[in-house]
Amino acid sequence: MPEAIVALGEAKRVVGRLRFESDGRRQHSQFEYSDEWLAAPDRFALSPGLPLREGGHFFSGKDDKRSALPGCFADAAPDSWGRGLMARALGGGLSEFDYLVLSDDRTRQGALRFLGDDMEPLSDLTPPIPRLVELERLRALAARFERDPGGAEEEARDLAGVAGSLGGARPKANVEGDGHLWIAKFTSAQDTRPVERVEVATLKLAARCGLRVAKAKLELANSDSPVALIKRFDRRGNTRIPYISAKTALDWESDEGGFYTDIADVIRQISSKPIDDLHEIWRRIVFTILVSNKDDHLKNHGFIYAGGDRWRLSPAFDINPSPSRHRVLETGIIQGGSFDASLDIALEACEFFDVKRESAKAQISEMAKIIAEGWRQALRDQGSSADEVRVYADAFEHDEAARALRIVG
């Protein structure tokens, strides 16, 4: 039965032990907090679904292999891009435990570390973390692997160490630069739109609307395949900051999308500044509707640890406008309601987020004006051509945006 010591941060503070078992078809895990951690004055639960108590917490991947791990551990494991790299570099047949513990310890999301009894990381993939000057090489490696994953074994091994720990489906890697760790997002061979340019532009637009967002910038901007750099907010220098997704915070196991009012309930329970975070998540709903963000699922919202057994809503990330006519959200606004991208529903829900209706209307109007007056220039500032700007018009200019501009606060 494979197992790992679970520790936190550079100090390798032991919090418990993870045990894993697979019978071929089903995968199971058990996590148990250590007595020392339970007795520590600064202890905290790794997630709401792992409350502090003696004895084992059990998880089964009966219906979904990924549910074989506690949610906070699954958050630290790779998604499809990283899994593809790891499978090619390390061979097939990897279990959920393998994906988790063999990915690069240094760049894994959050502060969790998975160690052997010698207190050294179990990771099998530890090449040097590339620097910003190596972006061209990394971009070429990612493109070769994306074109021919079956034949790009050397490229997979080069990339797996620096990208295998990352979530999402798009090509990406971790890089170091300016004293920080960044996620480099590469243009995909399947892209028909300037996704990287628009993501950076939209994050900057969100900041202008007063949202807390991850720092973003564009590299190789004059090429046909620019790279979006997103600063890792789960690092402060060498300090690793615990992180959980909203899916984990909600202990959400359904394949169906969740709801923002559920996130609001969790904020009230775990946030160190619940009113600030409630206002922030409501403003993100409005922004998502106004820019036609297609990526607002529960894994793309998260919390970073704030100390004292409390968390804060993480900076916003992965905001990707889509000029689609089908205006739906990945996360519904009101529990049990529709998934329509509707400002009427956002207004109806505002008091769930401790936002007064008149203030809500004023905020919608303000954000709508900033976006309407600035989205075209924001895209141009990141190198989008006139044709590319026109392609994205439906994402920013639509009936809901027009209605928002008519709202009087």
Side-chain angles (χ1 to χ4, degrees):
M1 178 187 294
E3 57 183 76
I5 293 170
V6 180
L8 283 174
E10 292 301 307
K12 299 179 182 176
R13 180 89 177 276
V14 174
V15 296
R17 185 174 287 267
L18 175 67
R19 297 178 175 89
F20 190 86
E21 186 176 2
S22 174
D23 61 10
R25 289 188 306 159
R26 295 182 181 178
Q27 301 182 28
H28 314 268
S29 70
Q30 174 194 347
F31 173 73
E32 186 171 357
Y33 286 110
S34 70
D35 292 340
E36 293 79 11
W37 181 254
L38 290 173
D42 58 348
R43 68 191 182 277
F44 65 93
L46 296 181
S47 73
L50 281 181
L52 291 168
R53 62 167 172 79
E54 294 181 350
H57 297 266
F58 296 90
F59 298 84
S60 171
K62 179 181 176 183
D63 299 316
D64 177 3
K65 288 182 178 179
R66 299 197 190 194
S67 62
L69 293 171
C72 57
F73 297 169
D75 286 339
D79 282 334
S80 52
W81 170 252
R83 284 170 179 249
L85 292 170
M86 290 182 67
R88 188 71 187 99
L90 301 177
L94 298 178
S95 69
E96 293 303 305
F97 183 84
D98 294 329
Y99 282 120
L100 174 65
V101 305
L102 297 182
S103 60
D104 182 33
D105 168 74
R106 302 157 306 165
T107 58
R108 185 182 286 114
Q109 184 170 267
L112 290 172
R113 306 183 71 182
F114 302 93
L115 314 175
D117 288 334
D118 61 357
M119 294 301 290
E120 291 301 314
L122 293 170
S123 173
D124 236 21
L125 298 163
T126 55
I129 300 172
R131 303 193 65 77
L132 290 181
V133 293
E134 298 178 70
L135 279 177
E136 283 273 20
R137 180 181 70 86
L138 289 172
R139 183 176 68 174
L141 288 175
R144 283 204 295 274
F145 179 79
E146 197 178 19
R147 283 197 306 269
D148 182 21
E153 184 171 354
E154 185 178 339
E155 288 83 352
R157 180 161 281 279
D158 279 354
L159 280 171
V162 297
S165 61
L166 294 170
R170 293 180 59 79
K172 58 180 71 70
N174 287 287
V175 294
E176 286 184 323
D178 303 329
H180 301 291
L181 194 62
W182 303 75
I183 296 174
K185 294 186 171 185
F186 305 113
T187 300
S188 170
Q190 279 75 49
D191 286 344
T192 57
R193 299 193 290 259
V195 176
E196 269 55 60
R197 296 185 194 279
V198 175
E199 179 172 359
V200 171
T202 306
L203 285 170
K204 291 182 179 296
L205 200 56
R208 287 181 55 196
C209 288
L211 301 184
R212 288 192 292 111
V213 302
K215 182 178 179 181
K217 60 182 180 177
L218 200 71
E219 294 289 323
L220 308 180
N222 295 325
S223 74
D224 291 334
S225 302
V227 180
L229 289 181
I230 313 297
K231 186 179 177 183
R232 291 275 298 264
F233 51 74
D234 59 344
R235 297 289 190 274
R236 291 196 191 104
N238 291 327
T239 301
R240 306 180 188 215
I241 303 168
Y243 171 86
I244 54 174
S245 68
K247 182 177 181 180
T248 291
L250 268 61
D251 207 15
W252 191 265
E253 295 183 358
S254 171
D255 290 334
E256 302 296 321
F259 297 92
Y260 283 102
T261 51
D262 289 336
I263 298 177
D265 288 340
V266 166
I267 286 171
R268 289 186 174 89
Q269 294 165 23
I270 70 173
S271 174
S272 63
K273 293 187 176 180
I275 300 303
D276 289 354
D277 283 348
L278 286 168
H279 291 178
E280 173 75 15
I281 195 68
W282 183 81
R283 289 175 65 84
R284 291 183 193 179
I285 297 170
V286 174
F287 188 79
T288 278
I289 293 169
L290 291 174
V291 304
S292 307
N293 175 27
K294 65 176 182 180
D295 248 0
D296 71 317
H297 55 79
L298 290 178
K299 290 276 280 187
N300 278 348
H301 300 284
F303 295 86
I304 53 177
Y305 188 59
D309 201 22
R310 285 290 176 265
W311 300 76
R312 285 299 311 272
L313 194 66
S314 76
F317 60 98
D318 277 7
I319 302 177
N320 291 291
S322 175
S324 168
R325 300 287 183 178
H326 304 290
R327 298 189 44 74
V328 294
L329 302 172
E330 290 286 321
T331 299
I333 298 175
I334 300 176
Q335 206 280 328
S338 78
F339 285 75
D340 294 341
S342 162
L343 290 173
D344 281 343
I345 300 176
L347 268 174
E348 180 187 343
C350 68
E351 293 191 4
F352 284 105
F353 302 87
D354 209 49
V355 178
K356 300 297 184 186
R357 188 173 178 86
E358 287 309 305
S359 173
K361 290 165 68 174
Q363 291 180 59
I364 289 172
S365 175
E366 177 190 25
M367 278 192 275
K369 288 174 183 174
I370 291 170
I371 293 166
E373 293 170 3
W375 76 266
R376 291 176 180 274
Q377 189 59 49
L379 266 62
R380 285 195 290 263
D381 287 346
Q382 300 306 320
S384 295
S385 68
D387 285 343
E388 289 169 340
V389 170
R390 279 194 292 273
V391 163
Y392 272 91
D394 285 345
F396 297 95
E397 297 178 349
H398 45 79
D399 290 346
E400 289 297 303
R403 289 182 60 254
L405 290 170
R406 295 195 296 269
I407 288 176
V408 178

